[in-house]
Amino acid sequence: MRRPPGVVALPADFRAFHQLAEEAVDHAFEQLAVSWPTVLAQPTPEAYAWKVVKNRIIDLARRRNRRPVVVDVAAFETYDLRNAVDPIGELETSLLVYEAINDLPDRQRDVIILRYSLGYAATTARILGISPAGVRSTVRHARRRLRQVLGLYEQEGSRDGHRTD
């Protein structure tokens, strides 16, 4: 079967990761359903649920002898790749960025994934159970670290984060 022009075939390892992520999310929701009263008793149920999902992905990846990576799926934004002038170049750039994100400390990685990859800018603080100021500070540190790792330099007068949380 021929693909329409500009549509990028997803690599087999991505398809395998996607299947792993779907299984992990299903397992996470099963765990949350079984322990629902415990979830509701948490100070921030969203933060508890986020940890459960992350842990299920890590557990399944380890059982399959794969590196546990929560952010891989974001590197393959098919809509962006379909509309890119250079889809392969976009994919390579995305992979470099998401590898750098994956190497961030847990809190920084979570904030970047939730806020930018998943689009939860307004609710990141609540999901993680931290203050909006904590999110802004974490974003600032994560962006600084990403710029260093990726060899990017901040333009004079630019700011690290926006105050949407």
Side-chain angles (χ1 to χ4, degrees):
M1 181 199 281
R2 293 189 66 202
R3 282 187 304 280
V7 174
V8 175
L10 297 174
D13 58 344
F14 169 75
R15 291 191 311 270
F17 177 80
H18 186 259
Q19 181 180 0
L20 170 83
E22 283 182 336
E23 288 178 40
V25 170
D26 286 345
H27 287 246
F29 275 102
E30 289 168 8
Q31 179 181 342
L32 292 169
V34 168
S35 61
W36 192 241
T38 303
V39 174
L40 294 177
Q42 300 301 310
T44 52
E46 297 91 343
Y48 183 84
W50 174 252
K51 288 177 187 172
V52 168
V53 169
K54 276 184 19 178
N55 289 335
R56 287 310 125 246
I57 291 172
I58 291 167
D59 290 347
L60 277 173
R62 285 184 179 147
R63 271 188 251 147
R64 294 182 179 175
N65 295 319
R66 293 198 51 199
R67 184 174 173 222
V69 179
V70 176
V71 75
D72 280 356
V73 70
F76 297 96
E77 297 286 348
T78 55
Y79 177 80
D80 291 341
L81 291 176
R82 259 194 315 255
N83 296 314
V85 173
D86 177 14
I88 300 304
E90 287 287 326
L91 184 59
E92 288 172 351
T93 300
S94 292
L95 287 171
L96 290 174
V97 170
Y98 289 109
E99 282 178 22
I101 291 171
N102 192 55
D103 290 338
L104 290 171
D106 281 346
R107 172 64 56 89
Q108 290 179 12
R109 183 175 55 246
D110 287 349
V111 166
I112 295 297
I113 291 169
L114 287 167
R115 188 177 174 113
Y116 299 106
S117 297
L118 299 176
Y120 293 128
T123 57
T124 297
R126 183 171 177 192
I127 291 169
L128 294 177
I130 60 177
S131 70
V135 170
R136 288 189 300 272
S137 174
T138 303
V139 164
R140 191 169 46 256
H141 292 290
R143 290 175 55 125
R144 183 177 304 127
R145 186 175 184 133
L146 290 171
R147 278 193 305 273
Q148 289 171 344
V149 168
L150 296 170
L152 304 173
Y153 302 97
E154 185 174 355
Q155 293 178 357
E156 192 173 321
S158 71
R159 295 182 50 149
D160 271 341
H162 351 289
R163 294 184 175 251
T164 58
D165 264 343

